[in-house]
Protein backbone atom coordinates (compact mmCIF):
# COMPACT_ATOMS: atom_id res chain seq x y z
CA UNK A 1 0.00 0.00 0.00
CA UNK A 2 1.51 3.31 -1.09
CA UNK A 3 2.00 5.84 1.71
CA UNK A 4 1.03 9.45 1.06
CA UNK A 5 1.84 12.36 3.38
CA UNK A 6 -0.18 15.57 3.37
CA UNK A 7 2.19 18.00 5.11
CA UNK A 8 0.51 21.36 5.49
CA UNK A 9 1.69 23.70 8.22
CA UNK A 10 -1.21 25.91 7.02
CA UNK A 11 -4.00 23.34 6.61
CA UNK A 12 -6.36 22.91 3.70
CA UNK A 13 -10.09 23.44 4.35
CA UNK A 14 -11.54 20.22 5.88
CA UNK A 15 -13.69 19.65 2.76
CA UNK A 16 -10.52 19.55 0.64
CA UNK A 17 -8.78 17.09 3.00
CA UNK A 18 -11.85 14.85 2.85
CA UNK A 19 -11.97 14.81 -0.95
CA UNK A 20 -8.19 14.40 -1.34
CA UNK A 21 -8.34 11.40 1.01
CA UNK A 22 -11.19 9.93 -1.04
CA UNK A 23 -9.03 10.01 -4.20
CA UNK A 24 -6.23 8.16 -2.42
CA UNK A 25 -8.67 5.67 -0.79
CA UNK A 26 -10.01 4.85 -4.25
CA UNK A 27 -6.46 4.25 -5.50
CA UNK A 28 -5.75 2.00 -2.49
CA UNK A 29 -3.17 4.38 -0.94
CA UNK A 30 -2.80 5.21 2.76
CA UNK A 31 -2.90 8.88 3.81
CA UNK A 32 -1.13 10.46 6.79
CA UNK A 33 -2.08 14.03 7.67
CA UNK A 34 0.50 16.32 9.26
CA UNK A 35 -1.08 19.72 9.83
CA UNK A 36 -0.03 22.81 11.84
CA UNK A 37 3.29 21.21 12.72
CA UNK A 38 5.51 23.44 14.79
CA UNK A 39 8.88 21.71 14.49
CA UNK A 40 10.92 20.29 11.63
CA UNK A 41 11.40 17.07 13.63
CA UNK A 42 7.78 16.05 13.11
CA UNK A 43 8.11 16.62 9.39
CA UNK A 44 11.39 14.67 9.19
CA UNK A 45 9.81 11.71 10.99
CA UNK A 46 6.69 11.75 8.81
CA UNK A 47 8.52 12.13 5.50
CA UNK A 48 10.75 9.11 6.24
CA UNK A 49 7.81 6.77 5.65
CA UNK A 50 6.16 8.52 2.69
CA UNK A 51 6.37 7.65 -1.01
CA UNK A 52 4.57 10.86 -2.02
CA UNK A 53 3.83 14.18 -0.37
CA UNK A 54 1.37 16.99 -0.95
CA UNK A 55 2.63 20.30 0.44
CA UNK A 56 1.83 24.02 0.30
CA UNK A 57 4.45 26.62 1.29
CA UNK A 58 6.06 23.99 3.52
CA UNK A 59 9.85 24.12 3.34
CA UNK A 60 11.24 21.04 1.61
CA UNK A 61 14.96 21.69 1.82
CA UNK A 62 17.82 19.22 1.26
CA UNK A 63 17.49 17.84 4.81
CA UNK A 64 13.77 17.07 4.43
CA UNK A 65 14.22 15.62 0.94
CA UNK A 66 17.12 13.40 2.02
CA UNK A 67 15.05 12.18 4.98
CA UNK A 68 12.44 11.00 2.47
CA UNK A 69 14.16 7.66 1.88
CA UNK A 70 11.14 6.23 0.04
CA UNK A 71 9.98 9.52 -1.45
CA UNK A 72 9.30 9.47 -5.21
CA UNK A 73 7.20 12.57 -5.72
CA UNK A 74 6.37 15.89 -4.02
CA UNK A 75 3.47 17.94 -5.32
CA UNK A 76 3.28 21.56 -4.25
CA UNK A 77 -0.49 22.23 -4.26
CA UNK A 78 -0.15 25.72 -5.67
CA UNK A 79 1.93 27.74 -8.08
CA UNK A 80 5.22 28.84 -6.51
CA UNK A 81 7.73 26.10 -5.73
CA UNK A 82 10.51 28.29 -4.33
CA UNK A 83 10.01 26.42 -1.02
CA UNK A 84 11.36 23.20 -2.55
CA UNK A 85 15.07 22.63 -3.15
CA UNK A 86 14.80 21.36 -6.73
CA UNK A 87 18.49 20.48 -6.99
CA UNK A 88 18.33 18.31 -3.87
CA UNK A 89 15.11 16.70 -5.12
CA UNK A 90 16.71 15.81 -8.45
CA UNK A 91 19.83 14.45 -6.71
CA UNK A 92 17.57 12.23 -4.59
CA UNK A 93 15.60 11.07 -7.65
CA UNK A 94 12.42 12.82 -6.47
CA UNK A 95 9.95 14.30 -8.96
CA UNK A 96 8.60 17.74 -8.00
CA UNK A 97 5.36 19.10 -9.45
CA UNK A 98 3.13 22.12 -8.92
CA UNK A 99 -0.53 22.60 -9.83
CA UNK A 100 -0.43 25.68 -12.09
CA UNK A 101 -3.51 27.88 -12.23
CA UNK A 102 -5.52 25.96 -9.64
CA UNK A 103 -5.55 28.66 -6.96
CA UNK A 104 -5.18 31.63 -9.33
CA UNK A 105 -8.66 33.09 -8.94
CA UNK A 106 -8.39 33.15 -5.14
CA UNK A 107 -5.07 35.03 -5.30
CA UNK A 108 -6.44 37.42 -7.93
CA UNK A 109 -9.47 38.24 -5.78
CA UNK A 110 -7.15 39.04 -2.86
CA UNK A 111 -5.03 41.31 -5.11
CA UNK A 112 -8.15 43.23 -6.14
CA UNK A 113 -9.34 43.36 -2.52
CA UNK A 114 -6.01 44.78 -1.35
CA UNK A 115 -6.00 47.37 -4.15
CA UNK A 116 -9.45 48.52 -3.01
CA UNK A 117 -8.33 48.59 0.63
CA UNK A 118 -5.42 50.85 -0.34
CA UNK A 119 -7.48 53.09 -2.60
CA UNK A 120 -10.09 53.49 0.16
CA UNK A 121 -7.42 54.63 2.64
CA UNK A 122 -7.72 51.40 4.68
CA UNK A 123 -11.40 52.20 5.31
CA UNK A 124 -10.21 54.80 7.80
CA UNK A 125 -12.85 57.36 6.93
CA UNK A 126 -10.44 59.47 4.85
CA UNK A 127 -11.82 60.07 1.32
CA UNK A 128 -10.41 57.45 -1.03
CA UNK A 129 -10.59 56.62 -4.72
CA UNK A 130 -12.31 54.15 -7.03
CA UNK A 131 -10.97 51.42 -9.25
CA UNK A 132 -13.11 52.47 -12.23
CA UNK A 133 -11.21 54.69 -14.62
CA UNK A 134 -7.81 54.01 -13.05
CA UNK A 135 -4.93 52.23 -14.78
CA UNK A 136 -3.89 48.84 -13.45
CA UNK A 137 -0.42 47.61 -14.42
CA UNK A 138 0.20 43.89 -14.33
CA UNK A 139 3.84 43.02 -13.64
CA UNK A 140 3.86 39.56 -15.22
CA UNK A 141 1.09 37.72 -17.03
CA UNK A 142 0.65 34.24 -15.60
CA UNK A 143 -2.55 32.61 -14.35
CA UNK A 144 -3.09 35.00 -11.43
CA UNK A 145 -2.50 38.11 -13.54
CA UNK A 146 -4.99 36.86 -16.13
CA UNK A 147 -7.65 36.55 -13.44
CA UNK A 148 -6.81 40.01 -12.09
CA UNK A 149 -7.18 41.33 -15.65
CA UNK A 150 -10.64 39.74 -16.01
CA UNK A 151 -11.90 41.27 -12.74
CA UNK A 152 -10.26 44.68 -13.24
CA UNK A 153 -11.67 45.04 -16.73
CA UNK A 154 -15.18 44.31 -15.40
CA UNK A 155 -14.62 47.08 -12.84
CA UNK A 156 -13.93 49.58 -15.61
CA UNK A 157 -10.16 49.81 -15.18
CA UNK A 158 -7.70 50.36 -17.98
CA UNK A 159 -5.29 47.42 -17.83
CA UNK A 160 -1.73 47.31 -19.16
CA UNK A 161 0.93 44.64 -18.72
CA UNK A 162 4.66 44.10 -18.81
CA UNK A 163 5.68 40.57 -19.72
CA UNK A 164 8.58 39.00 -21.53
CA UNK A 165 7.25 35.51 -21.96
CA UNK A 166 3.48 35.92 -22.50
CA UNK A 167 3.39 38.76 -25.04
CA UNK A 168 1.35 36.77 -27.54
CA UNK A 169 -1.25 35.77 -24.90
CA UNK A 170 -1.62 39.41 -23.83
CA UNK A 171 -1.87 40.71 -27.38
CA UNK A 172 -4.45 38.03 -28.23
CA UNK A 173 -6.90 39.57 -25.76
CA UNK A 174 -6.09 43.14 -26.81
CA UNK A 175 -4.02 43.94 -23.74
CA UNK A 176 -1.36 46.62 -24.20
CA UNK A 177 2.15 45.34 -23.43
CA UNK A 178 4.43 48.18 -22.29
CA UNK A 179 7.89 48.50 -23.77
CA UNK A 180 9.61 48.21 -20.39
CA UNK A 181 8.98 47.57 -16.70
CA UNK A 182 9.76 51.24 -16.04
CA UNK A 183 7.06 52.24 -18.52
CA UNK A 184 4.53 49.99 -16.73
CA UNK A 185 5.29 51.51 -13.32
CA UNK A 186 5.14 55.06 -14.76
CA UNK A 187 1.72 54.64 -16.33
CA UNK A 188 -0.04 52.69 -13.54
CA UNK A 189 -2.18 53.91 -10.66
CA UNK A 190 -2.13 50.40 -9.22
CA UNK A 191 0.68 47.91 -9.94
CA UNK A 192 -0.05 44.26 -9.21
CA UNK A 193 3.00 41.97 -9.10
CA UNK A 194 2.73 38.46 -10.53
CA UNK A 195 6.22 37.09 -11.13
CA UNK A 196 7.89 34.10 -9.43
CA UNK A 197 10.77 34.34 -6.96
CA UNK A 198 13.46 33.10 -9.30
CA UNK A 199 15.98 34.22 -11.88
CA UNK A 200 15.75 37.74 -13.19
CA UNK A 201 12.67 38.48 -11.05
CA UNK A 202 14.55 38.39 -7.74
CA UNK A 203 14.69 41.97 -6.41
CA UNK A 204 13.52 43.16 -9.85
CA UNK A 205 11.28 45.77 -8.21
CA UNK A 206 14.21 48.08 -7.50
CA UNK A 207 14.64 51.84 -7.17
CA UNK A 208 15.37 52.08 -10.90
CA UNK A 209 11.82 50.82 -11.52
CA UNK A 210 10.06 52.29 -8.49
CA UNK A 211 11.29 55.84 -9.15
CA UNK A 212 8.90 55.96 -12.11
CA UNK A 213 5.80 55.53 -9.92
CA UNK A 214 3.37 58.42 -9.58
CA UNK A 215 2.96 59.76 -6.07
CA UNK A 216 -0.33 58.27 -4.86
CA UNK A 217 0.05 54.95 -6.63
CA UNK A 218 -0.46 51.59 -4.97
CA UNK A 219 1.76 48.51 -5.20
CA UNK A 220 0.02 45.18 -4.61
CA UNK A 221 2.25 42.16 -4.03
CA UNK A 222 0.60 38.73 -3.87
CA UNK A 223 3.67 37.08 -5.44
CA UNK A 224 6.74 36.76 -3.19
CA UNK A 225 8.64 39.21 -0.98
CA UNK A 226 11.90 38.22 -2.70
CA UNK A 227 10.92 40.06 -5.91
CA UNK A 228 11.00 43.39 -4.04
CA UNK A 229 14.15 45.28 -3.15
CA UNK A 230 12.88 46.38 0.26
CA UNK A 231 15.41 49.16 1.02
CA UNK A 232 14.55 50.63 -2.41
CA UNK A 233 10.82 50.41 -1.70
CA UNK A 234 11.32 52.18 1.62
CA UNK A 235 13.36 54.86 -0.15
CA UNK A 236 10.64 55.58 -2.72
CA UNK A 237 7.92 55.59 -0.03
CA UNK A 238 9.98 58.22 1.82
CA UNK A 239 10.38 60.28 -1.33
CA UNK A 240 6.75 60.01 -2.47
CA UNK A 241 4.46 60.14 0.57
CA UNK A 242 1.35 59.08 -1.36
CA UNK A 243 2.63 55.62 -2.32
CA UNK A 244 1.13 52.62 -0.52
CA UNK A 245 2.34 49.01 -0.32
CA UNK A 246 -0.21 46.22 0.07
CA UNK A 247 1.19 42.72 0.39
CA UNK A 248 0.27 39.12 1.13
CA UNK A 249 3.86 38.64 2.32
CA UNK A 250 5.27 40.21 5.46
CA UNK A 251 8.41 42.09 4.49
CA UNK A 252 11.75 41.36 6.10
CA UNK A 253 11.94 45.05 7.11
CA UNK A 254 8.51 45.10 8.81
CA UNK A 255 9.76 47.31 11.64
CA UNK A 256 10.72 50.07 9.17
CA UNK A 257 7.27 50.07 7.59
CA UNK A 258 5.61 50.21 11.01
CA UNK A 259 7.82 53.06 12.17
CA UNK A 260 7.80 55.16 9.00
CA UNK A 261 4.57 54.58 7.07
CA UNK A 262 1.47 54.37 9.28
CA UNK A 263 -1.68 54.07 7.18
CA UNK A 264 0.35 53.34 4.03
CA UNK A 265 0.79 49.57 4.14
CA UNK A 266 -1.17 46.40 4.76
CA UNK A 267 0.29 42.94 5.30
CA UNK A 268 -1.86 39.83 5.77
CA UNK A 269 -1.07 38.20 9.14
CA UNK A 270 -0.58 34.85 7.34
CA UNK A 271 -0.30 34.27 3.57
CA UNK A 272 -3.96 34.37 2.60
CA UNK A 273 -4.07 34.54 -1.22
CA UNK A 274 -4.85 30.86 -1.81
CA UNK A 275 -6.61 30.28 1.50
CA UNK A 276 -10.16 29.68 0.26
CA UNK A 277 -12.10 26.42 0.28
CA UNK A 278 -12.37 26.63 -3.52
CA UNK A 279 -8.63 27.11 -4.07
CA UNK A 280 -7.80 24.35 -1.54
CA UNK A 281 -10.14 22.01 -3.37
CA UNK A 282 -8.84 22.91 -6.83
CA UNK A 283 -5.15 22.69 -5.93
CA UNK A 284 -5.48 19.80 -3.47
CA UNK A 285 -7.50 17.57 -5.75
CA UNK A 286 -5.23 18.35 -8.71
CA UNK A 287 -2.22 17.39 -6.55
CA UNK A 288 -3.84 14.10 -5.49
CA UNK A 289 -4.79 13.21 -9.06
CA UNK A 290 -1.27 14.07 -10.29
CA UNK A 291 0.20 11.68 -7.69
CA UNK A 292 -2.14 8.84 -8.69
CA UNK A 293 -1.42 9.47 -12.40
CA UNK A 294 2.31 9.48 -11.67
CA UNK A 295 2.25 6.13 -9.89
CA UNK A 296 -0.35 4.42 -12.10
CA UNK A 297 0.55 5.85 -15.55
CA UNK A 298 4.02 7.36 -15.17
CA UNK A 299 2.56 10.80 -15.99
CA UNK A 300 5.05 13.64 -15.29
CA UNK A 301 3.19 16.45 -17.07
CA UNK A 302 3.58 19.03 -14.29
CA UNK A 303 7.11 18.16 -13.27
CA UNK A 304 9.19 21.29 -12.56
CA UNK A 305 12.60 19.67 -11.98
CA UNK A 306 13.03 18.03 -15.40
C1 LIG B 1 1.17 29.68 -4.41
O1 LIG B 1 2.34 29.82 -4.76
O2 LIG B 1 0.41 28.86 -4.94
C2 LIG B 1 0.59 30.61 -3.37
O3 LIG B 1 1.56 31.45 -2.84
C3 LIG B 1 -0.19 29.89 -2.27
O4 LIG B 1 0.60 29.46 -1.20
P1 LIG B 1 -0.04 28.63 0.01
O5 LIG B 1 -0.47 27.31 -0.51
O6 LIG B 1 1.02 28.54 1.03
O7 LIG B 1 -1.24 29.41 0.51
Amino acid sequence: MRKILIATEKPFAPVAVKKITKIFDKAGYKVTLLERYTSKTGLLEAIAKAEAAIIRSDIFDAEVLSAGKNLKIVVRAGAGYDNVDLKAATENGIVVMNTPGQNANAVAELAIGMAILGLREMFSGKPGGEMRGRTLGLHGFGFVARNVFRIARAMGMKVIVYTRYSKAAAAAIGLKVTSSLEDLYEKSDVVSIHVPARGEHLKSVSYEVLKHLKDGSIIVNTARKEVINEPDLIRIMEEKPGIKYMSDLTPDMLGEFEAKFPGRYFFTPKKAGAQTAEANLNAGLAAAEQIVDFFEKGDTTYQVNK
Side-chain angles (χ1 to χ4, degrees), residues 99-118:
T99 63
Q102 297 291 348
N103 57 23
N105 181 66
V107 180
E109 288 189 11
L110 180 71
I112 293 286
M114 290 203 298
I116 293 173
L117 182 62

Side-chain angles (χ1 to χ4, degrees), residues 10 12 55-58 76-82 103 107 222-224 248-249 271-275 280:
K10 182 175 64 187
F12 288 127
I55 62 169
R56 298 185 63 180
S57 291
D58 305 81
R76 191 279 189 247
Y81 44 85
D82 46 306
N103 57 23
V107 180
T222 53
R224 290 290 184 269
D248 194 17
L249 304 313
K271 190 147 70 100
Q275 197 60 327
N280 291 174

Side-chain angles (χ1 to χ4, degrees), residues 118-130:
L119 270 175
R120 292 297 183 98
E121 299 291 346
M122 316 296 173
F123 305 137
S124 63
K126 256 169 93 178
E130 298 183 20

